[in-house]
Amino acid sequence: MSANIGSTMQWIQPLETLPSGDTRDIGGKGAALHRLWAGRIRVPKTLCVTTRAYRDFVNHAGLREKIYLELSRKEFAEMRWEEIWDAAQRLRLLFLRSSLPLEMASSMRQAITQAFGERMMVVRSSSPEEDLSGHSFAGLHASYTHLQGCEDVMHHIRLVWASLWSDAALLYRQELGLDALTSTMAVLVQEMIPGQVSGICFTRDPTGLECGVIEAVHGMNPPLVDGKITPDRRMIDTATGAVIEHRAPASRKQWQQPTATAGAAPLSALPDFLQDQPPLTPAQVDRLWTTAVRVAAMAAAPQDIEWTFDKEELVLLQARPITTVSRPAEGDNRSWYLSLHRSLENLLELRRRIEEEWIPRMRQTADEVADIDPGALDDADLAAEIRRRWEINQHWTAIYWEDFIPFAHGMRLFGQVYNETMVPDDPYEFMLLLRHQDLISVRRNRQLADLAAAVRQRPQRARALERGDFNALDAAFRERLDAFVLRYGDLSCPVTGAVECAPDTGALANILLEMATLPETVPTNGGDLPSAALEAAFLDACPAGSMEDCRQLLSLARSSYRLRDDDNILLGAIEARLIAAAQEGRKRSRDNSAGLSEVLAELGLDTADHAPRAKAGAPPPAVSERQITGQPAGPGLVRGRARVIVEHSDIAQFKRGEIIVCDGVDPNMTFVMPLAAGIVERRGGMLIHGAIIAREYGLPCVTGVADATTRITTGQTITVDGYLGIVTIGEK
């Protein structure tokens, strides 16, 4: 009996019994909250799930070995940000699919029921490394509001534990030199305070200005923290506590109504009588600032404080030191990608801008430029046209990085929400709801298949293609072939729409001949998948009041998935026009056209665009039955002959049934996918282009295989296990 009581106290404790100042068991937030309570500052009623509970759960579920396996697939410093996100998703799902030990679950139910009954609750992270003076982890670990009932709370406790392994938290730990494998997590379970006015207070402006900051909104805090509501902002003189400046928002029209019993309702209209009224009165500002200064003195450090007014009583929800995130190592741009984590609202605005503005303009620009024949211009006009096309290409490349790349987060956001909602066996089951979005590259491949069928129907066409004698083709077929080249290029280039980028420009003929050997109907390994049933199940499982958000998120993810393939082809259509003008300019510059030579040199176009790269050094000798690991990206198991792609021109020799091995599949290589049996990539990530195309065609795929193009040679037999992320080299 006493042993059980001891275990219970080690797993979950009331705030009042927590050890003062010791973060090892209760984490940074727990220690800070206990300090506030001991200083007679009102805080929410709180239970702390200790780090002991985390360790016992991990050991009971056998997760420590699985975590080690995930983080040992590749040296962490060599992992791309997409691979880190993948690993984080798999780890997150491990936590959700594992049950609490029975005694622990029973103890938590008893403690939570006794403390909170049927009241709404909040669950917050409290890592021992969190909210310390040297590093804060602010926003990197998860917190959840508007929870009700023991089962809901315990589900979200596991989500908070899992957030220890998010991509952002893993990267931050690496920057700080912390060992992820020895990290632990405490969790705070608090009553949900239905505040009428809420906000954030910084006792020192985190941007470096010599003043304090108070941000306030009517209602509750989540919309402010999530960036959904613009707050009233006051700048405070730290010496006198006087308000230096009050910046009111353009409008106060929305709020999250204070309630102690309802779930997380969507934002509603702010009552008319509050729209012209600042959330805080002068007396409340004075009381809040006085309390904040006291908290900073107690902690001996400037503080970032989350607060709310419950009627007239000030309640501090949490307090942490103001810190600056460390800078990543020079040349490591993975942390930049954390800025691509966007909210649903931000992604919806990106989608509108991309689909309604950028894509129509890109297509219009490409068509307008295509109407100008560089060969018909004199040297001066050609030089001007080359510069104009270069500037157009630079403009759209900048938009690609500014808007198109961040929009890819739509898939990741949906994947995270889907996994938290459905807790599937496969962490990438959500991809089944995104397939078959009529990708440009798939439409191109259907046109190739139609051309190949026409070759299959008339053997004389095949013979003409084998000889490379396009003039011997009949007029009807030649017209169709010319229309394909005009739209998609001759397949000799890594840019869609460009032509003659390699000395041997017979890529299109070679691929058509190979595709003509396929049967009329080519089954895919994926088959028909029950995406409609999965969609219905997902929407049914959405929390009450969130159905429309779930629908929007799914639609957004499908658009994001489609654009992840289409964006490079759309951009390539513009770049192809630059390549054509530069090719004409280089041809004339060899005849001593000084003006053209100067422009080409200035813009870095004086050498052939996409010239073949130097061959890689000799690969190591083949090793029989050698297994190399990567990331599972396309389910399935296949054995076949490897075709290693070092230069884009290598793709023209691709044969039916081969396994493509490359640095990374791009949209301008995917015309061979109907021929391929599998994919192996050096670049990693479930949502990189090669993985998307693998799922679209039902191909086994492994990504993130270090040195794939040097450890594997063309002609070797390899086995691709897309379930486990393993590539085996050798016949056996």
Side-chain angles (χ1 to χ4, degrees):
M1 181 74 171
S2 59
N4 289 345
I5 293 174
S7 296
T8 300
M9 292 300 292
Q10 288 178 327
W11 286 330
I12 186 165
Q13 300 182 43
L15 180 69
E16 298 80 8
T17 66
L18 296 178
S20 178
D22 187 354
T23 64
R24 289 175 298 177
D25 292 333
I26 62 177
K29 277 196 185 78
L33 211 62
H34 184 272
R35 183 169 57 243
L36 296 177
W37 171 82
R40 298 185 180 278
I41 294 173
R42 184 183 165 189
V43 296
K45 185 177 184 63
T46 302
L47 297 176
C48 181
V49 179
T50 67
T51 57
R52 170 66 181 270
Y54 171 86
R55 289 192 298 269
D56 287 354
F57 168 77
V58 166
N59 291 333
H60 171 80
L63 296 184
R64 194 168 303 279
E65 295 79 9
K66 295 175 182 177
I67 291 170
Y68 181 80
L69 174 63
E70 281 295 343
L71 297 184
S72 300
R73 289 178 182 270
K74 182 188 281 190
E75 288 291 330
F76 189 83
E78 296 179 7
M79 291 174 70
R80 288 164 52 91
W81 68 279
E82 296 99 331
E83 295 174 83
I84 297 171
W85 186 86
D86 277 11
Q89 285 292 22
R90 290 192 291 269
L91 289 170
R92 190 183 190 90
L93 200 54
L94 286 175
F95 277 80
L96 293 181
R97 292 194 60 78
S98 300
S99 300
L100 295 172
L102 292 177
E103 186 180 1
M104 183 186 297
S106 177
S107 299
M108 286 187 181
R109 288 190 188 96
Q110 181 178 0
I112 292 168
T113 300
Q114 288 178 351
F116 303 110
E118 294 302 314
R119 281 176 287 175
M120 300 299 298
M121 287 169 273
V122 176
V123 168
R124 301 185 190 275
S125 66
S126 185
S127 163
E129 300 153 345
E130 191 172 356
D131 294 346
L132 304 181
S133 59
H135 34 83
S136 73
F137 283 84
L140 298 186
H141 296 141
S143 294
Y144 300 92
T145 63
H146 296 90
L147 308 178
Q148 191 168 26
C150 293
E151 299 309 315
D152 196 18
V153 169
M154 289 193 289
H155 172 74
H156 284 85
I157 286 171
R158 283 177 292 158
L159 279 173
V160 173
W161 284 341
S163 72
L164 189 65
W165 307 100
S166 72
D167 53 347
L170 285 170
L171 279 170
Y172 192 41
R173 281 186 171 79
Q174 186 197 33
E175 291 171 12
L176 295 173
L178 303 174
D179 184 356
L181 287 171
T182 60
S183 297
T184 57
M185 176 69 77
V187 181
L188 304 180
V189 182
Q190 300 177 301
E191 64 176 322
M192 184 90 188
I193 304 295
Q196 289 74 44
V197 177
S198 308
I200 308 293
C201 177
F202 298 96
T203 60
R204 187 187 67 201
D205 190 331
T207 66
L209 298 177
E210 293 299 324
C211 61
V213 179
I214 294 176
E215 294 183 338
V217 296
H218 289 289
M220 303 180 73
N221 239 353
L224 169 61
V225 175
D226 294 340
K228 295 180 179 180
I229 295 180
T230 303
D232 278 68
R233 182 180 176 91
R234 288 178 172 84
M235 315 301 288
I236 309 295
D237 186 320
T238 55
T240 65
V243 176
I244 301 170
E245 181 183 5
H246 176 201
R247 301 177 190 170
S251 66
R252 305 184 190 97
K253 293 185 177 180
Q254 290 185 302
W255 72 334
Q256 189 171 66
Q257 297 187 49
T259 172
T261 56
L267 295 179
S268 58
L270 188 66
D272 292 341
F273 75 93
L274 291 177
Q275 291 184 13
D276 296 325
Q277 179 179 316
L280 290 172
T281 66
Q284 287 174 320
V285 172
D286 289 343
R287 182 176 178 188
L288 174 59
W289 181 251
T290 300
T291 304
V293 170
R294 183 182 165 203
V295 171
M298 291 165 58
Q303 294 289 291
D304 167 1
I305 302 167
E306 188 174 338
W307 55 269
T308 192
F309 273 97
D310 183 12
K311 298 182 174 60
E312 292 302 316
E313 188 171 6
L314 176 63
V315 184
L316 300 194
L317 307 178
Q318 60 178 322
R320 57 184 169 225
I322 298 172
T323 58
T324 302
V325 177
S326 61
R327 294 176 62 87
E330 186 174 351
D332 184 354
N333 65 353
R334 295 177 302 176
S335 294
W336 174 79
Y337 284 96
L338 298 181
S339 69
L340 305 182
H341 289 216
R342 304 296 180 93
S343 67
L344 176 60
E345 290 75 14
N346 180 275
L347 288 166
L348 289 170
E349 172 56 25
L350 272 182
R351 177 183 182 176
R352 184 204 63 76
R353 191 157 62 239
I354 288 169
E355 294 185 344
E356 296 180 14
E357 297 179 28
W358 295 153
I359 290 178
R361 289 188 201 174
M362 287 179 80
R363 287 177 171 150
Q364 181 181 6
T365 299
D367 291 342
E368 288 175 352
V369 175
D371 287 338
I372 300 173
D373 179 8
L377 302 175
D378 62 28
D379 287 0
D381 287 344
L382 178 59
E385 182 65 13
I386 290 172
R387 185 181 298 280
R388 185 176 80 93
R389 294 187 183 193
W390 182 86
E391 291 172 351
I392 289 171
N393 188 66
Q394 292 293 104
H395 168 75
W396 286 109
T397 299
I399 289 175
Y400 170 85
W401 284 99
E402 182 71 22
D403 282 355
F404 285 38
I405 289 293
F407 188 58
H409 184 62
M411 289 184 286
R412 299 183 191 94
L413 181 60
F414 173 69
Q416 181 173 326
V417 170
Y418 182 90
N419 285 346
E420 288 184 12
T421 303
M422 304 302 294
V423 194
D425 292 328
D426 177 4
Y428 305 114
E429 180 179 277
F430 71 92
M431 295 288 287
L432 301 180
L433 278 71
L434 309 184
R435 288 163 40 109
H436 307 315
Q437 297 302 307
D438 198 24
L439 310 180
I440 293 176
S441 63
V442 174
R443 294 205 302 268
R444 175 187 61 188
N445 289 356
R446 285 200 295 267
Q447 291 188 36
L448 271 176
D450 290 342
L451 289 170
V455 171
R456 191 184 304 116
Q457 292 163 5
R458 294 193 185 179
Q460 61 269 34
R461 290 171 177 165
R463 289 193 292 270
L465 291 174
E466 288 169 355
R467 298 193 306 270
D469 186 0
F470 284 75
N471 291 326
L473 293 169
D474 58 276
F477 183 77
R478 180 64 185 269
E479 183 178 348
R480 291 172 61 188
L481 201 61
D482 288 345
F484 179 90
V485 171
L486 181 64
R487 185 179 182 103
Y488 297 113
D490 64 6
L491 307 187
S492 70
C493 303
V495 174
T496 294
V499 297
E500 298 182 351
C501 290
D504 176 12
T505 57
L508 180 55
N510 294 341
I511 295 301
L512 284 176
L513 288 168
E514 197 63 30
M515 290 185 72
T517 67
L518 294 172
E520 289 286 347
T521 301
V522 184
T524 63
N525 295 340
D528 293 324
L529 297 165
S531 59
L534 289 177
E535 178 177 343
F538 168 67
L539 294 176
D540 286 346
C542 285
S546 300
M547 176 69 76
E548 184 55 32
D549 280 352
C550 288
R551 289 187 186 279
Q552 283 190 318
L553 184 55
L554 175 55
S555 175
L556 184 80
R558 285 171 170 164
S559 179
S560 174
Y561 175 95
R562 182 171 59 250
L563 189 71
R564 188 67 184 90
D565 178 83
D566 291 355
D567 54 9
N568 283 293
I569 292 180
L570 293 165
L571 190 62
I574 290 173
E575 188 178 356
R577 309 310 172 199
L578 173 61
I579 291 172
Q583 286 173 334
E584 178 67 22
R586 285 194 300 273
K587 183 170 65 175
R588 295 192 199 179
S589 68
R590 290 193 290 268
D591 297 328
N592 300 317
S593 177
L596 283 168
S597 297
E598 290 174 4
V599 169
L600 291 167
E602 177 190 344
L603 302 179
L605 301 171
D606 48 336
T607 57
D609 302 279
H610 311 292
R613 299 191 300 273
K615 288 284 187 181
V623 179
S624 178
E625 279 297 292
R626 183 178 181 183
Q627 286 191 336
I628 50 181
T629 59
Q631 307 285 342
L637 184 69
V638 68
R639 177 179 296 170
R641 183 176 182 269
R643 171 68 64 176
V644 180
I645 308 301
V646 177
E647 302 169 359
H648 183 81
S649 57
D650 295 337
I651 203 78
Q653 306 307 316
F654 200 88
K655 303 298 182 186
R656 173 185 174 187
E658 291 183 329
I659 297 170
I660 187 169
V661 179
C662 61
D663 187 70
V665 173
D666 65 64
N668 303 293
M669 293 167 56
T670 56
F671 52 82
V672 300
M673 292 307 160
L675 298 170
I679 302 173
V680 177
E681 293 185 82
R682 182 195 64 79
R683 289 198 308 234
M686 181 60 228
L687 299 179
I688 65 172
H689 182 261
I692 288 175
I693 281 296
R695 292 264 175 163
E696 198 70 24
Y697 282 93
L699 300 176
C701 178
V702 177
T703 66
V705 179
D707 304 318
T709 58
T710 56
R711 299 175 74 176
I712 301 170
T713 57
T714 292
Q716 280 184 311
T717 296
I718 62 174
T719 303
V720 179
D721 187 336
Y723 298 109
L724 299 178
I726 296 173
V727 179
T728 304
I729 305 172
E731 293 283 352
K732 296 181 180 179

